[in-house]
PDB file of all heavy atoms in Angstrom:
ATOM      1  N   ASP A 227      10.716 -13.124 -22.544  1.00 93.00           N
ATOM      2  CA  ASP A 227      10.493 -13.078 -24.034  1.00 93.00           C
ATOM      3  C   ASP A 227       8.957 -12.971 -24.175  1.00 93.00           C
ATOM      4  O   ASP A 227       8.491 -12.807 -25.375  1.00 93.00           O
ATOM      5  CB  ASP A 227      11.055 -14.173 -24.693  1.00 93.00           C
ATOM      6  CG  ASP A 227      10.600 -15.598 -24.172  1.00 93.00           C
ATOM      7  OD1 ASP A 227      10.113 -15.567 -22.995  1.00 93.00           O
ATOM      8  OD2 ASP A 227      10.656 -16.539 -24.973  1.00 93.00           O
ATOM      9  N   VAL A 228       8.120 -13.126 -23.288  1.00 93.00           N
ATOM     10  CA  VAL A 228       6.690 -13.092 -23.344  1.00 93.00           C
ATOM     11  C   VAL A 228       6.126 -11.848 -22.928  1.00 93.00           C
ATOM     12  O   VAL A 228       5.041 -11.380 -23.344  1.00 93.00           O
ATOM     13  CB  VAL A 228       6.048 -14.380 -22.710  1.00 93.00           C
ATOM     14  CG1 VAL A 228       4.511 -14.329 -22.710  1.00 93.00           C
ATOM     15  CG2 VAL A 228       6.554 -15.640 -23.336  1.00 93.00           C
ATOM     16  N   ARG A 229       6.698 -11.359 -21.818  1.00 93.00           N
ATOM     17  CA  ARG A 229       6.219 -10.103 -21.148  1.00 93.00           C
ATOM     18  C   ARG A 229       5.940  -8.945 -22.146  1.00 93.00           C
ATOM     19  O   ARG A 229       4.917  -8.179 -21.929  1.00 93.00           O
ATOM     20  CB  ARG A 229       7.212  -9.726 -20.122  1.00 93.00           C
ATOM     21  CG  ARG A 229       6.607  -8.653 -19.167  1.00 93.00           C
ATOM     22  CD  ARG A 229       7.610  -8.316 -18.034  1.00 93.00           C
ATOM     23  NE  ARG A 229       8.074  -9.452 -17.382  1.00 93.00           N
ATOM     24  CZ  ARG A 229       9.385  -9.672 -17.074  1.00 93.00           C
ATOM     25  NH1 ARG A 229      10.257  -8.821 -17.287  1.00 93.00           N
ATOM     26  NH2 ARG A 229       9.659 -10.842 -16.446  1.00 93.00           N
ATOM     27  N   PRO A 230       6.793  -8.524 -23.113  1.00 94.00           N
ATOM     28  CA  PRO A 230       6.561  -7.377 -23.919  1.00 94.00           C
ATOM     29  C   PRO A 230       5.190  -7.424 -24.618  1.00 94.00           C
ATOM     30  O   PRO A 230       4.483  -6.466 -24.775  1.00 94.00           O
ATOM     31  CB  PRO A 230       7.633  -7.430 -24.922  1.00 94.00           C
ATOM     32  CG  PRO A 230       8.742  -8.079 -24.133  1.00 94.00           C
ATOM     33  CD  PRO A 230       8.163  -9.129 -23.304  1.00 94.00           C
ATOM     34  N   ALA A 231       4.797  -8.619 -25.196  1.00 95.00           N
ATOM     35  CA  ALA A 231       3.500  -8.727 -25.914  1.00 95.00           C
ATOM     36  C   ALA A 231       2.400  -8.488 -24.938  1.00 95.00           C
ATOM     37  O   ALA A 231       1.344  -7.817 -25.253  1.00 95.00           O
ATOM     38  CB  ALA A 231       3.416 -10.070 -26.546  1.00 95.00           C
ATOM     39  N   PHE A 232       2.499  -9.009 -23.708  1.00 95.00           N
ATOM     40  CA  PHE A 232       1.523  -8.964 -22.693  1.00 95.00           C
ATOM     41  C   PHE A 232       1.316  -7.462 -22.398  1.00 95.00           C
ATOM     42  O   PHE A 232       0.221  -6.846 -22.289  1.00 95.00           O
ATOM     43  CB  PHE A 232       1.772  -9.708 -21.485  1.00 95.00           C
ATOM     44  CG  PHE A 232       0.839  -9.634 -20.356  1.00 95.00           C
ATOM     45  CD1 PHE A 232      -0.223 -10.633 -20.305  1.00 95.00           C
ATOM     46  CD2 PHE A 232       0.812  -8.643 -19.398  1.00 95.00           C
ATOM     47  CE1 PHE A 232      -1.149 -10.565 -19.249  1.00 95.00           C
ATOM     48  CE2 PHE A 232      -0.182  -8.461 -18.445  1.00 95.00           C
ATOM     49  CZ  PHE A 232      -1.101  -9.492 -18.401  1.00 95.00           C
ATOM     50  N   GLU A 233       2.496  -6.811 -22.195  1.00 95.00           N
ATOM     51  CA  GLU A 233       2.473  -5.337 -21.783  1.00 95.00           C
ATOM     52  C   GLU A 233       1.755  -4.430 -22.958  1.00 95.00           C
ATOM     53  O   GLU A 233       1.063  -3.506 -22.685  1.00 95.00           O
ATOM     54  CB  GLU A 233       3.888  -4.833 -21.546  1.00 95.00           C
ATOM     55  CG  GLU A 233       4.377  -5.450 -20.197  1.00 95.00           C
ATOM     56  CD  GLU A 233       5.781  -4.870 -19.919  1.00 95.00           C
ATOM     57  OE1 GLU A 233       6.302  -4.147 -20.724  1.00 95.00           O
ATOM     58  OE2 GLU A 233       6.214  -5.080 -18.678  1.00 95.00           O
ATOM     59  N   ARG A 234       2.147  -4.757 -24.214  1.00 96.00           N
ATOM     60  CA  ARG A 234       1.592  -4.077 -25.328  1.00 96.00           C
ATOM     61  C   ARG A 234       0.046  -4.129 -25.322  1.00 96.00           C
ATOM     62  O   ARG A 234      -0.672  -3.169 -25.406  1.00 96.00           O
ATOM     63  CB  ARG A 234       2.096  -4.543 -26.696  1.00 96.00           C
ATOM     64  CG  ARG A 234       3.543  -4.051 -26.876  1.00 96.00           C
ATOM     65  CD  ARG A 234       3.893  -4.212 -28.417  1.00 96.00           C
ATOM     66  NE  ARG A 234       3.997  -5.748 -28.692  1.00 96.00           N
ATOM     67  CZ  ARG A 234       4.932  -6.451 -28.611  1.00 96.00           C
ATOM     68  NH1 ARG A 234       6.146  -5.991 -27.980  1.00 96.00           N
ATOM     69  NH2 ARG A 234       4.930  -7.763 -28.972  1.00 96.00           N
ATOM     70  N   GLU A 235      -0.502  -5.400 -25.110  1.00 96.00           N
ATOM     71  CA  GLU A 235      -1.970  -5.468 -25.150  1.00 96.00           C
ATOM     72  C   GLU A 235      -2.574  -4.857 -23.926  1.00 96.00           C
ATOM     73  O   GLU A 235      -3.602  -4.299 -24.007  1.00 96.00           O
ATOM     74  CB  GLU A 235      -2.219  -7.032 -25.224  1.00 96.00           C
ATOM     75  CG  GLU A 235      -3.804  -7.340 -25.275  1.00 96.00           C
ATOM     76  CD  GLU A 235      -4.400  -6.704 -26.448  1.00 96.00           C
ATOM     77  OE1 GLU A 235      -3.707  -6.632 -27.471  1.00 96.00           O
ATOM     78  OE2 GLU A 235      -5.649  -6.529 -26.442  1.00 96.00           O
ATOM     79  N   TYR A 236      -2.019  -4.968 -22.767  1.00 96.00           N
ATOM     80  CA  TYR A 236      -2.468  -4.376 -21.611  1.00 96.00           C
ATOM     81  C   TYR A 236      -2.469  -2.891 -21.698  1.00 96.00           C
ATOM     82  O   TYR A 236      -3.534  -2.232 -21.343  1.00 96.00           O
ATOM     83  CB  TYR A 236      -1.599  -4.766 -20.418  1.00 96.00           C
ATOM     84  CG  TYR A 236      -2.128  -4.415 -19.011  1.00 96.00           C
ATOM     85  CD1 TYR A 236      -3.444  -4.318 -18.743  1.00 96.00           C
ATOM     86  CD2 TYR A 236      -1.266  -4.262 -17.972  1.00 96.00           C
ATOM     87  CE1 TYR A 236      -3.931  -3.987 -17.434  1.00 96.00           C
ATOM     88  CE2 TYR A 236      -1.720  -3.893 -16.677  1.00 96.00           C
ATOM     89  CZ  TYR A 236      -3.001  -3.760 -16.479  1.00 96.00           C
ATOM     90  OH  TYR A 236      -3.437  -3.495 -15.194  1.00 96.00           O
ATOM     91  N   LYS A 237      -1.441  -2.275 -22.223  1.00 96.00           N
ATOM     92  CA  LYS A 237      -1.469  -0.816 -22.480  1.00 96.00           C
ATOM     93  C   LYS A 237      -2.491  -0.366 -23.448  1.00 96.00           C
ATOM     94  O   LYS A 237      -3.263   0.709 -23.254  1.00 96.00           O
ATOM     95  CB  LYS A 237      -0.146  -0.378 -23.101  1.00 96.00           C
ATOM     96  CG  LYS A 237       1.075  -0.450 -22.174  1.00 96.00           C
ATOM     97  CD  LYS A 237       2.391  -0.106 -22.838  1.00 96.00           C
ATOM     98  CE  LYS A 237       3.526  -0.168 -21.940  1.00 96.00           C
ATOM     99  NZ  LYS A 237       4.840   0.182 -22.688  1.00 96.00           N
ATOM    100  N   ALA A 238      -2.833  -1.160 -24.494  1.00 97.00           N
ATOM    101  CA  ALA A 238      -3.813  -0.777 -25.442  1.00 97.00           C
ATOM    102  C   ALA A 238      -5.219  -0.881 -24.819  1.00 97.00           C
ATOM    103  O   ALA A 238      -6.047   0.167 -25.092  1.00 97.00           O
ATOM    104  CB  ALA A 238      -3.797  -1.774 -26.666  1.00 97.00           C
ATOM    105  N   ARG A 239      -5.482  -1.788 -24.008  1.00 97.00           N
ATOM    106  CA  ARG A 239      -6.768  -1.927 -23.363  1.00 97.00           C
ATOM    107  C   ARG A 239      -6.940  -0.778 -22.215  1.00 97.00           C
ATOM    108  O   ARG A 239      -8.045  -0.337 -22.064  1.00 97.00           O
ATOM    109  CB  ARG A 239      -7.046  -3.360 -22.673  1.00 97.00           C
ATOM    110  CG  ARG A 239      -6.984  -4.390 -23.808  1.00 97.00           C
ATOM    111  CD  ARG A 239      -7.397  -5.714 -23.233  1.00 97.00           C
ATOM    112  NE  ARG A 239      -7.073  -6.829 -24.202  1.00 97.00           N
ATOM    113  CZ  ARG A 239      -7.487  -8.056 -23.992  1.00 97.00           C
ATOM    114  NH1 ARG A 239      -8.175  -8.389 -22.832  1.00 97.00           N
ATOM    115  NH2 ARG A 239      -7.131  -8.978 -24.968  1.00 97.00           N
ATOM    116  N   LEU A 240      -5.823  -0.464 -21.564  1.00 97.00           N
ATOM    117  CA  LEU A 240      -5.898   0.549 -20.631  1.00 97.00           C
ATOM    118  C   LEU A 240      -6.185   1.981 -21.288  1.00 97.00           C
ATOM    119  O   LEU A 240      -6.837   2.774 -20.615  1.00 97.00           O
ATOM    120  CB  LEU A 240      -4.603   0.636 -19.738  1.00 97.00           C
ATOM    121  CG  LEU A 240      -4.399  -0.536 -18.703  1.00 97.00           C
ATOM    122  CD1 LEU A 240      -3.015  -0.388 -18.171  1.00 97.00           C
ATOM    123  CD2 LEU A 240      -5.460  -0.440 -17.667  1.00 97.00           C
ATOM    124  N   ARG A 241      -5.569   2.175 -22.480  1.00 97.00           N
ATOM    125  CA  ARG A 241      -5.863   3.426 -23.082  1.00 97.00           C
ATOM    126  C   ARG A 241      -7.307   3.618 -23.499  1.00 97.00           C
ATOM    127  O   ARG A 241      -7.788   4.605 -23.485  1.00 97.00           O
ATOM    128  CB  ARG A 241      -4.979   3.506 -24.435  1.00 97.00           C
ATOM    129  CG  ARG A 241      -3.510   3.857 -24.004  1.00 97.00           C
ATOM    130  CD  ARG A 241      -2.703   4.185 -25.315  1.00 97.00           C
ATOM    131  NE  ARG A 241      -2.648   3.181 -26.300  1.00 97.00           N
ATOM    132  CZ  ARG A 241      -1.606   2.327 -26.281  1.00 97.00           C
ATOM    133  NH1 ARG A 241      -0.569   2.384 -25.498  1.00 97.00           N
ATOM    134  NH2 ARG A 241      -1.520   1.305 -27.311  1.00 97.00           N
TER     135      ARG A 241
END
Side-chain angles (χ1 to χ4, degrees):
D227 60 336
V228 173
R229 190 181 306 137
F232 182 94
E233 290 185 351
R234 284 194 297 272
E235 182 60 26
Y236 189 27
K237 289 178 182 178
R239 298 188 191 188
L240 287 174
R241 284 195 293 269

